[in-house]
Amino acid sequence: MTEHQSETIRRRRRPKLTDLMVAGLPKKRKRYILADPEMGGLYVRVPSEGANVFCAVARRPKGGKQVWATIGNSEILKVEEAREKARAAIKRIKAGLSPFEALPVTPDSFESVAENWFKRHVVK
């Protein structure tokens, strides 16, 4: 390759990840993964069947184990929303926490527990 040829060959920049692009990703025989060029740690899993899924990937501080956290379905989430959720999940993983906060457990009321018991034991 001559010097002139090397100057004319340029690296192509990967296109930005858009909602339309994610929706139009081709299905293949095996699942594959596509990285978001704008945000490190955000990926799109493209299964052979079904909807595409956004995932966040980061390493735990102790041991360096890689953690994959499923953010959501691409039919429901937009790319920008997925990036926001991925940023939060990656921060939590790098802090040694679970990727998402656990939902608060609401205790059952006495009335609902009594009705449930009545249905299971008395009505039968």
Side-chain angles (χ1 to χ4, degrees):
M1 187 179 327
T2 65
E3 186 178 329
H4 184 275
Q5 287 175 333
S6 65
E7 290 177 12
T8 58
I9 297 174
R10 293 187 180 162
R11 292 185 183 181
R12 284 188 47 197
R13 195 171 198 181
R14 290 194 325 200
K16 291 183 178 181
L17 202 59
T18 63
D19 296 322
L20 193 59
M21 181 182 168
V22 171
L25 288 171
K27 301 291 183 181
K28 297 182 180 177
R29 288 182 60 195
K30 287 188 172 184
R31 177 182 77 178
Y32 68 96
I33 299 168
L34 179 71
D36 181 5
E38 289 185 31
M39 184 185 165
L42 178 64
Y43 293 86
V44 179
R45 275 189 187 154
V46 183
S48 58
E49 295 177 2
N52 301 339
V53 178
F54 290 109
C55 297
V57 181
R59 292 197 178 272
R60 293 208 182 274
K62 293 183 180 179
K65 183 178 178 187
Q66 194 177 53
V67 177
W68 283 75
T70 302
I71 296 173
N73 189 330
S74 66
E75 294 175 350
I76 298 170
L77 287 175
K78 303 283 183 199
V79 174
E80 288 303 319
E81 294 170 333
R83 285 185 184 130
E84 289 174 22
K85 289 187 176 193
R87 278 187 200 96
I90 290 169
K91 281 182 186 177
R92 288 184 56 87
I93 292 168
K94 288 184 176 182
L97 304 170
S98 66
F100 305 106
E101 287 186 35
L103 296 174
V105 178
T106 55
D108 293 330
S109 67
F110 177 79
E111 182 180 357
S112 66
V113 171
E115 286 176 8
N116 188 13
W117 180 87
F118 189 78
K119 287 177 187 175
R120 287 184 300 149
H121 297 285
V122 178
V123 174
K124 277 189 171 181

